Amino acid sequence: MNHADQPERRHRRHRRLALVSVLGGVVGLTFLVVGRAPAGADSDLEAHGRSLYLEGCVSCHGTKGQGVGGSGGDNERGPRITDAGAAGAYYMLSTGRMPLNDPNEQPHRKDPAYGPKDIDALVAFVASLGHGPALTKVDLADASLANGGLVFRADCQACHSASGSGGALSYGRAAPSLREATPEQVAAAVRSGPGQMPVFGQGDVDRKQLRDLVAYVQYLRHPSDRGGLAIGRVGPVPEGFVAWSVGVVLLLACVFWIGTRSPIRSRPGANADADADADADAHTNADSDADVGSEP
Amino acid sequence: MSAQSPPRGPTVPRTRAKKAAGRTATFRGARWVDERIGGAKFARTALNKVFPDHWSFMIGELALYCFVTLLLTGTYLTFFFDPSTETTTYHGSYAPLRGVEMTRAYRSALELSFDVRAGLVMRQIHHWAALLFLATIVVHLARVFFTGAFRKPRELNWIIGVTLLTLAIFNGFAGYSLLDDQLSGTGLRIAYSIALSIPLVGTWVTSLLFGGEFPGADIIERLYVIHILLIPAAITVLLAGHLYLVVRQKHTQFPGPGRREDNVVGERMWPTYAAKAVGLLFLTVSVLSMLGGLVQINPIWVFGPFDPAQVSSASQPDWYMGWLDGALRIMPGWEIRAFGFSIPNPFFPAVLLAGLTFGLLYAWPFLEARVTGDHDLHHLDDRPRQRPVRTALGVATISFYAICFLGGASDVLSTTFGLSVNAVLWTMRFALFIVPPIMAWATYRLCKELSARDGVPTASQVDWREIPHRLRHGSGPDDGDADENEDDDDPAAAPAAS
């Protein structure tokens, strides 16, 4: 058995050696070509990203981000991502939406599968695949909340709701809550339009507007909550729920408390007539009603 | 009884009464009034009115105290609210809206919430009180319905009660539409479309009410007059009539020992019931203040000023309009053409369903009397289990409107529980026709079982007229003592001072 295996192993070893030498050659050539400039660090990052990509993403998005078709239609397994850009990749990876366990699943926010360095590498690689939107750095120092609110109400609240709590779209899709979105993620989502979301380019939301918008979304994470406990901030449905489950219940408890005769009162302290009545009631009334008798 | 109370009756010698009570300012004040405009007889009658002592007879009072709270807090709000659609720029203390253009109505609502002392808490108490005013009216209505307290001779008071409910719904809607935030504008937009869908008169009604095409320049001012003057005045007048009829016709009561069709057993207005009523007033105001102070309601600053071109997801009306919104959502998108005209889709869920709902509510006492052939006077209430058919129909109706309401919350339900909004809507479409019959059947069986356990036959097994008769003759001792109203059978006769 061992003898039979040995040639196989030798073959593998040869293949590995060949691969390493080829890779080494490529890396060496790259170094020769671009030298030790900062761009070299980028392509390092890209190469690291490529290897991560070929491990974790290739099965759905294809080797060059062209997407993978299933048995039925085009790109059923995973969409084309050549123009997702750095913004699209950053949004999907940093919010944990990608990778998906199951291609039929709706992506939703979870803990990111990759660390920050790996995400940077993957973002660099995906950006190199086509001409997608770049990551936008937002400096919130001079942002105007009022202006951001105007943009938010015009472009975002129809799906994400005025309070940023998210909302339902048709057939099980949903606009996510913005309560956990970081400034970079909001900016990336606006520019790349993930999922059902439209892409908002420079013409729709310019740089200043984007900065203000991001500031407003950050504000919505912790808005001025005057007036006490914020019950979901999704309008009158939870308010109606509280009105019935707390308000009506408390008021009925008050009514029951005030309107029900305490049984102790018809004992020794009460006058003789009332006692007689209570006794008589006990004999004649088979019902379990507590409110019998007519004492003062 | 303390020395403060007025003399009770002629059994007390006049001189002694004078000596005992004449010292107090209350007595002298009361006599001063009585000598000039009279009223002692009325006061004696009122103070001697007997209230039945079951807790469920106090539910209507909750609604009354919510209304009192609404009047008090509403008055405070009118000092600061500016019902104008004139455009202005906000420069108040809420930073995220500073420099934004808005109507004066919305600006003054923001200032009420951020800059007026106690403005926000008053606004919140007002809004919670409105939600609970409607809720307690509905609970009160359910109590009256399920116990058959609407039967002859109280049909008139039932009609007044249903009118109060519709007025309260309209006023609630008018109230939250005043603020001119995004949510209220969306509600007005829907109301506009509903009014527009009324065949023949829709266009006329809307331009009359809104003063032109939506949004209309006059709607806020008009709603303001309707909200703070017209409807509250109508409610006050009808409420007075409602209470007058309760005094005039006396309360109903549950059957029991000593309780007959021609008496009321319970506690007198003075002193016992007055103490209970005042206690309940304080408790109601405390619950409303607690909610207003601790739980945020309608945070208009999050919604932003109304812009007809914008809408937020999860836009719902307050709960008492929610069933209508739900009916609109549940209704499939059918357009029907008849006689060369198209009948707009909102007509069926919003106009026809609402018309049927309140039409049936108004007609119920007469419908039931017609079906049962019962045209007698009733002062003893039914226990719900004794009338399985009525109880079953009532429970089915409640479940119908509850499903409508859930349909109105379809998007909130689907985001909260991670469901597809289409699946929720389709579930509601089926549930609307499946759940009420199941509820009716289950309630009917439950009533039958409970009655069988009690050993009391239900209305369908015996002639219903026997029930009060049986209870009267199988009753305990006749409590003809101090707390019984010894009036004759005719409730329309002037209440005698016992």
Side-chain angles (χ1 to χ4, degrees), chain A residues 13-73:
Chain A
R13 225 174 271 154
H14 281 297
R15 249 189 263 155
R16 259 183 227 157
L17 269 173
L19 197 69
V20 166
S21 58
V22 167
L23 270 178
V26 167
V27 170
L29 271 172
T30 329
F31 268 93
L32 277 176
V33 172
V34 296
R36 300 183 63 158
D42 262 7
S43 19
D44 256 1
L45 207 61
E46 243 178 72
H48 179 51
R50 168 191 284 275
S51 66
L52 286 170
Y53 180 90
L54 291 176
E55 249 170 44
C57 320
V58 71
S59 62
C60 294
H61 294 294
T63 46
K64 290 170 185 156
Q66 76 275 27
V68 173
S71 52

Side-chain angles (χ1 to χ4, degrees), chain A residues 91 181-191 197 210 213-214 217-218:
Chain A
Y91 173 81
T182 64
E184 293 76 24
Q185 288 166 355
V186 176
V190 168
R191 288 292 186 235
M197 187 167 156
L210 180 64
L213 173 63
V214 168
V217 173
Q218 293 309 298

Side-chain angles (χ1 to χ4, degrees), chain A residues 145-147 149-150 153-154 157-163 165-175 216 219-220 223-231 233-244 246-248 250-252 254-261 265 273 276-277 280-281 284-285 287-289 291-296, chain B residues 53-55 58-59 62 66 94-98 100 113-114 120 124 127-128 131-132 135-136 138-139 182-183 255 257 259 265-267 272 276 279-280 283-284 287 290-299 301-305 310-314 316-319 383 409 411-412 414-415 419-422 475-477 479 481 483:
Chain A
L145 279 183
N147 207 16
L150 289 177
R153 286 190 291 276
Q157 68 164 353
C159 298
H160 292 285
S161 112
S163 64
S165 60
L169 304 175
S170 47
Y171 299 105
R173 300 194 180 92
Y216 190 73
Y219 163 75
L220 281 181
S224 157
D225 260 333
R226 282 175 70 92
L229 185 69
I231 39 176
R233 292 190 211 94
V234 287
V237 172
E239 290 163 6
F241 181 75
V242 169
W244 278 92
V246 178
V248 172
L250 278 180
L251 288 180
L252 286 184
C254 293
V255 160
F256 190 77
W257 181 49
I258 281 206
T260 306
R261 188 184 301 246
R265 278 176 54 205
D273 285 343
D277 286 348
D281 291 342
T284 53
N285 186 29
D287 212 308
S288 58
D289 271 2
D291 54 311
V292 289
S294 61
E295 58 158 316
Chain B
D53 57 4
H54 192 266
W55 62 272
M58 295 183 93
I59 296 171
L62 289 176
C66 286
Y94 181 67
L97 284 173
R98 224 173 271 156
V100 173
S113 308
F114 288 99
L120 183 60
Q124 296 207 140
H127 205 137
W128 282 117
L131 294 193
L132 285 163
T136 46
V138 170
V139 178
Q182 188 66 53
L183 193 61
R259 295 152 187 215
V265 178
E267 286 146 339
T272 319
K276 283 187 170 191
L280 190 60
L283 280 172
T284 308
V287 169
M290 192 194 75
L291 279 171
L294 297 179
V295 189
Q296 186 186 68
I297 188 165
N298 199 19
W301 54 91
V302 175
F303 304 141
Q310 299 173 357
V311 68
S312 163
S313 80
Q316 266 91 10
D318 279 2
W319 77 262
R383 293 189 75 193
D411 53 343
V412 175
S414 56
T415 39
L419 305 164
S420 154
V421 74
N422 303 65
S475 66
D479 304 52
D481 57 12
D483 280 307

Side-chain angles (χ1 to χ4, degrees), chain A residues 104-199:
Chain A
N104 299 315
E105 190 184 308
Q106 283 288 319
H108 59 270
R109 181 179 278 273
K110 53 184 185 284
D111 284 336
Y114 298 99
K117 276 185 185 161
D118 289 348
I119 288 178
D120 284 349
L122 276 164
V123 165
F125 175 72
V126 174
S128 75
L129 292 173
H131 305 283
L135 270 178
T136 321
K137 282 262 175 285
V138 278
D139 179 17
L140 300 181
D142 304 320
S144 149
L145 279 183
N147 207 16
L150 289 177
V151 179
F152 186 83
R153 286 190 291 276
D155 291 334
C156 315
Q157 68 164 353
C159 298
H160 292 285
S161 112
S163 64
S165 60
L169 304 175
S170 47
Y171 299 105
R173 300 194 180 92
S177 161
L178 305 176
R179 301 262 158 78
E180 291 168 69
T182 64
E184 293 76 24
Q185 288 166 355
V186 176
V190 168
R191 288 292 186 235
S192 67
Q196 312 295 305
M197 187 167 156
V199 175

